[in-house]
Amino acid sequence: MDFTGKHALVTGAAGGIGAAIVRMLRTAGAKAAVADKDVSGLEAEAYLPGDLTDGDYANGLPAAAMDALGGLDIVINNAGIMRRGPVTASTDEDFDLSVAVNVKAPFRICRSAIALMAEQGSGAIVNTASCWGVHPGPDHAVYCMTKAAIASLTQCMGRDHAHQGIRINAVCPNEVDTPMLRTGFEMRGFDPSTAVAELGKTVPLGRIAQPEDIAEVVLFLASPHARYICGELVEVNGGKPVG
Ligand code: NAD
């Protein structure tokens, strides 16, 4: 895939999947604007640190990326948080923060980006939902709800803005070997590396995903190779469907 001359905004750029997306986009020739709470360790063409729960920051990110890079062709809404537990173990703060980061921030970023992309008549947005947004898993009720919300929003936006030359899709990973997954094992008292290896045995392809396995699908959806894919939820699960 060749992204020469393309300009991309990536949120959650310091995380496991986000860092892989940024690396691979830049290797393929794109200029990248990285957004996360702390972007100091990243290599990119533009640095846009901030907290996605800040409405002004999220609303302004696409324009800030466009100004800094000299264009905006691709937006990757990848940032996310996972609060664990059934509803009976979930606080109002769990609910509000999960909705703020996983739903409201990408909603705001998409709204601003669509306005800019509509003016130029082209653009690609890829949101990170989850397999659990399509088939809810156990004991993560609030997380699953937020991923279902961004999945649905993606389908709606994909349909509503296709006529403006904008393709909006979502990638839906199952288990990926990132800090999000490993901290969950630590919190439950498991050794993360052993747990990742054990979990891999439950996947038909024999291992859980590495961040690059997801990033490559994100790049495909952002590329002209996916020119006829719009409003889709693409599950990337190694043959292990949830449900
Ligand atoms: P990660 O925890 O490694 O990265 C998430 C990034 O989002 C972090 O760098 C974090 O700083 C950033 N972020 C969180 N809250 C923020 C805020 N308020 N403001 C700015 N940045 C914020 O997790 P990951 O596994 O790389 O997850 C990336 C995406 O993939 C998430 O949307 C996640 O829900 C989704 N996903 C992950 C898995 C998995 O198994 N790891 C599975 C399915 C979906």
Side-chain angles (χ1 to χ4, degrees):
M1 285 180 272
D2 183 8
F3 286 91
T4 307
K6 299 295 182 191
H7 310 89
L9 166 66
V10 182
T11 73
I17 298 171
I21 293 170
V22 171
R23 268 197 314 275
M24 292 171 78
L25 276 172
R26 294 183 74 244
T27 300
K31 289 188 166 41
V34 290
D36 207 310
K37 284 181 176 168
D38 179 1
V39 293
S40 56
L42 299 172
E43 285 185 24
E45 282 63 43
Y47 297 90
L48 302 171
D51 190 327
L52 285 170
T53 63
D54 176 344
D56 290 340
Y57 171 70
N59 282 320
L61 261 181
M66 184 178 245
D67 286 350
L69 298 176
L72 187 65
D73 308 289
I74 296 163
V75 171
I76 313 293
N77 278 305
N78 160 77
I81 61 161
M82 176 183 270
R83 290 290 169 94
R84 297 170 171 86
V87 286
T88 45
S90 303
T91 64
D92 284 5
E93 194 262 346
D94 288 330
F95 185 95
D96 291 342
L97 189 64
S98 299
V99 169
V101 177
N102 295 357
V103 186
K104 204 164 184 182
F107 154 73
R108 285 170 161 151
I109 292 168
C110 285
R111 185 175 56 187
S112 299
I114 288 166
L116 297 173
M117 290 172 170
E119 274 183 39
Q120 65 196 21
S122 66
I125 299 176
V126 184
N127 298 320
T128 307
S130 169
C131 285
W132 279 8
V134 186
H135 322 279
D139 290 326
H140 289 71
V142 170
Y143 179 76
C144 292
M145 173 201 71
T146 63
K147 291 300 180 179
I150 191 61
S152 176
L153 200 60
T154 300
Q155 292 173 308
C156 296
M157 293 186 298
R159 179 175 301 179
D160 291 344
H161 300 287
H163 72 98
Q164 292 163 302
I166 307 168
R167 293 184 306 100
I168 306 172
N169 293 291
V171 68
C172 300
N174 201 345
E175 297 115 349
V176 192
D177 187 2
T178 70
M180 179 179 278
L181 189 88
R182 284 179 174 256
T183 54
F185 286 132
E186 274 164 12
M187 283 163 57
R188 282 173 279 164
F190 300 118
D191 169 56
S193 295
T194 308
V196 163
E198 286 300 315
L199 193 56
K201 295 177 186 165
T202 68
V203 181
L205 278 180
R207 61 176 178 83
I208 68 165
Q210 289 302 310
E212 290 74 14
D213 297 320
I214 309 305
E216 193 146 0
V217 178
V218 170
L219 262 70
F220 166 71
L221 290 172
S223 80
H225 296 288
R227 60 191 169 276
Y228 204 62
I229 302 179
C230 192
E232 272 303 316
L233 310 176
V234 179
E235 289 190 53
V236 187
N237 59 20
K240 181 183 173 184
V242 185

